[in-house]
């Protein structure tokens, strides 16, 4: 493997590990780190430049996927909270409102909401 190719592969390996450590869920994070390490170790003895380039391209694609998924994994909790807040907009007196434990707003506030 050429020195520039080796440096490119190592940079890609480090970037993938760094990005995968941003997963908020422990199981996703540990699986990603383990899978990346295993894949790079499995292919460390590849000598064919064409095959190396194919593997590098696949790793770059996978890095892009990891980068797109990391913000989503931390956003799942905030998305669920947003859904819960939208359910409150249904209005007082409904089953969702009473089941969530929020206090009913005063009639003065409800008059401004036009519910």
């Amino acid at each position: 493997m050429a020195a520039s190719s080796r440096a490119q592969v190592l940079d890609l390996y480090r970037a993938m590990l760094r990005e995968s450590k941003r997963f908020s869920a422990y199981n996703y994070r540990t699986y990603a780190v383990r899978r990346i390490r295993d894949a790079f170790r499995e292919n460390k003895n590849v000598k064919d430049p064409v095959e190396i380039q194919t593997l590098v391209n696949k790793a770059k694609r996978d890095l892009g996927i990891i980068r797109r998924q990391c913000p989503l994994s931390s956003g799942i909790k905030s998305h669920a909270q947003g859904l819960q807040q939208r359910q409150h907009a249904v209005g007082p007196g409904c089953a969702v409102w009473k089941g969530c434990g929020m206090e009913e707003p005063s009639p003065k506030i409800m008059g401004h909401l036009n519910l």
Side-chain angles (χ1 to χ4, degrees), residues 26-43:
Y26 174 79
N27 288 338
Y28 290 140
R29 187 172 53 247
T30 55
Y31 174 77
V33 169
R34 184 177 63 242
R35 186 64 193 104
I36 290 165
R37 286 182 178 152
D38 290 347
F40 275 83
R41 283 182 187 144
E42 183 179 308
N43 295 309

Side-chain angles (χ1 to χ4, degrees), residues 75-89:
I76 289 173
K77 185 181 285 185
S78 63
H79 177 69
Q81 290 169 346
L83 286 176
Q84 185 180 16
Q85 289 171 354
R86 274 189 238 133
Q87 287 176 345
H88 295 301

Side-chain angles (χ1 to χ4, degrees), residues 13-80:
Y13 175 72
R14 288 184 194 114
M16 290 181 79
L17 285 177
R18 191 177 323 110
E19 290 296 321
S20 65
K21 289 180 181 178
R22 291 180 47 214
F23 279 113
S24 60
Y26 174 79
N27 288 338
Y28 290 140
R29 187 172 53 247
T30 55
Y31 174 77
V33 169
R34 184 177 63 242
R35 186 64 193 104
I36 290 165
R37 286 182 178 152
D38 290 347
F40 275 83
R41 283 182 187 144
E42 183 179 308
N43 295 309
K44 73 179 183 179
N45 295 322
V46 174
K47 302 291 183 203
D48 182 27
V50 174
E51 190 175 352
I52 290 172
Q53 191 58 45
T54 303
L55 292 167
V56 166
N57 291 339
K58 182 184 181 309
K60 285 180 181 178
R61 199 169 350 120
D62 292 345
L63 177 60
I65 292 170
I66 292 170
R67 284 183 173 152
R68 285 191 301 272
Q69 292 297 318
C70 283
L72 292 178
S73 71
S74 63
I76 289 173
K77 185 181 285 185
S78 63
H79 177 69

